[in-house]
Amino acid sequence: MGVLETRSLTKRYGTGAVAALDDLTVDVGTGVTGLVGANGAGKSTLIKILLGLLPPTSGEARVLDHDIRTEGEAIRTVVGYMPEHDCLPPDMRAIDFVVHMGQVSGLPAAAARERAADVLRHVGLAEERYRLMGGYSTGMKQRAKLAQALVHDPRLVMLDEPTNGLDPAARDDMLALVRRIGHDFGIPVLVTSHLLGELERISDHVVVLDSGRLLRSEATSAFLGDTGVVLVEVLGDPDADGTDAQTRMGQALAARGVTCRPRGGLIEVDPPDVRPEGAAAARDALRDLVRDTAADLGVGLVRVQPQTGRLEDVFRDGGAR
Ligand SMILES: Nc1ncnc2c1ncn2[C@@H]1O[C@H](COP(=O)(O)OP(=O)(O)OP(=O)(O)O)[C@@H](O)[C@H]1O
Ligand SMILES: [Mg+2]
């Protein structure tokens, strides 16, 4: 099911020559979608446009089948939004604030109180909910922001950098909460981060923005999938000339037509040319060649393992698709 879609969405602020969003066409479905990009990539701009809070310069978008240009209010009724920046009134208790936000979203007073207590407990602010939020730590503020995004039982949540400012333990907790919203409660989630590595753990799908443009939109498994590159580690004594085992292995592989290079203490072997029998057969043949080469040289083969691409590689490779 489509949750939201954009078509050639473009946003220029003021008379800005540079577009914050540039001809962005992307579809987002159910589950957890990670929206990834460096600072200034356009993540917050996209979210504000999707909520109908900011008009696009050109292009179209629909959220839960509502037009962002004309149905912003309807969108905000059914979408939970956790903004990037601190938006919490310091002189309010979390419980009162979340109840208030529930009522603003249309819940009757009694239901708002009940839901507020539930969501605050759910995000881990059980006792603290009676304290003024001005005295909250960053981690507690992020939890309170998440609670207000959930209080009205949204059909979609948009979380803008929910892990910002959190220490590693608090970040893990927050990511677990986000994952639970998407997977256990079945609420589609659009979550942003500039930290690629953290989203790969919780996202079903990843959308990568680069300077307002779509760099990639793919299932997370495709990002993490086998790149075809194989890492080889060998162990052995240097030869009479003092050439170490790794170098000898690299040279021998190159002599047999394999493209490879040293990488730390390993040898990085490029994927083989695809054979008519298919990629898997080509890989098996490459592994056999590596094994035979090591045997011929008399070096020990410690490991031959596929290198799995990580999200960090997306930018390093610069690979627009
Ligand atoms: N209100 C504004 N007026 C003018 N330019 C803006 C405004 N808001 C954002 N921009 C510009 O638009 C671009 C995208 O900004 P945006 O805040 O959407 O990026 P982001 O991906 O959310 O970044 P961050 O990771 O820092 O939160 C940036 O170049 C930014 O300077
Ligand atoms: Mg932002």
Side-chain angles (χ1 to χ4, degrees), residues 13 20 37-46 48 84 160-161 194:
Y13 286 101
N39 292 138
K43 305 180 297 291
S44 299
T45 298
L46 174 60
K48 287 175 201 159
E84 176 177 19
D160 200 352
E161 309 238 13
H194 57 276

Side-chain angles (χ1 to χ4, degrees), residues 282-305:
R283 269 180 223 184
D284 286 348
L286 177 68
R287 280 169 181 263
D288 289 348
L289 183 69
V290 168
R291 189 196 57 215
D292 294 346
T293 306
D296 292 348
L297 287 177
V299 301
L301 203 51
V302 180
R303 60 180 156 148
V304 182
Q305 68 178 42

Side-chain angles (χ1 to χ4, degrees), residues 20-251:
L21 282 183
D22 192 355
D23 199 30
L24 179 73
T25 296
V26 70
D27 289 344
V28 169
T30 50
V32 177
T33 300
L35 179 61
V36 186
N39 292 138
K43 305 180 297 291
S44 299
T45 298
L46 174 60
I47 287 190
K48 287 175 201 159
I49 291 176
L50 292 172
L51 287 164
L53 296 171
L54 195 64
T57 307
S58 61
E60 309 296 328
R62 296 186 76 80
V63 176
L64 297 171
D65 222 21
H66 293 295
D67 187 331
I68 50 121
R69 288 180 188 273
T70 55
E71 297 174 273
E73 205 172 311
I75 291 172
R76 293 191 294 278
T77 307
V78 289
V79 174
Y81 169 45
M82 175 173 173
E84 176 177 19
H85 299 294
D86 190 357
C87 57
L88 304 170
D91 52 355
M92 271 186 101
R93 303 185 306 169
I95 183 69
D96 300 327
F97 176 65
V98 177
V99 168
H100 172 74
M101 293 304 282
Q103 288 182 285
V104 167
S105 298
L107 290 181
R113 275 197 299 276
E114 196 174 316
R115 279 286 303 166
D118 282 351
V119 290
L120 282 162
R121 200 176 314 114
H122 178 70
V123 300
L125 290 177
E127 298 308 315
E128 298 91 335
R129 67 185 190 269
Y130 299 111
R131 282 172 45 190
L132 298 183
M133 294 186 291
Y136 274 14
S137 69
T138 305
M140 291 159 72
K141 285 181 180 170
Q142 292 291 55
R143 287 165 189 265
K145 275 161 59 181
L146 180 61
Q148 64 77 34
L150 298 173
V151 67
H152 59 303
D153 264 326
R155 290 173 49 209
L156 164 67
V157 291
M158 299 190 192
L159 311 175
D160 200 352
E161 309 238 13
T163 57
N164 221 358
L166 301 184
D167 67 37
R171 198 169 68 198
D172 286 348
D173 289 350
M174 177 59 75
L175 290 171
L177 281 170
V178 174
R179 185 209 295 265
R180 214 175 305 146
I181 295 167
H183 294 172
D184 296 357
F185 303 149
I187 304 173
V189 179
L190 182 66
V191 53
T192 80
S193 175
H194 57 276
L195 293 174
L196 303 161
E198 68 180 25
L199 286 184
E200 72 183 26
R201 291 158 44 195
I202 60 161
S203 302
D204 302 297
H205 195 95
V206 176
V207 172
V208 185
L209 287 186
D210 184 27
S211 305
R213 284 188 294 272
L214 182 68
L215 192 61
R216 284 191 183 182
S217 172
E218 273 185 313
T220 312
S221 56
F223 276 100
L224 302 179
D226 201 337
T227 56
V229 171
V230 171
L231 297 175
V232 175
E233 183 178 359
V234 292
L235 194 67
D237 297 326
D239 66 7
D241 301 335
T243 310
D244 64 40
Q246 185 190 341
T247 306
R248 283 195 289 138
M249 181 71 179
Q251 288 168 348

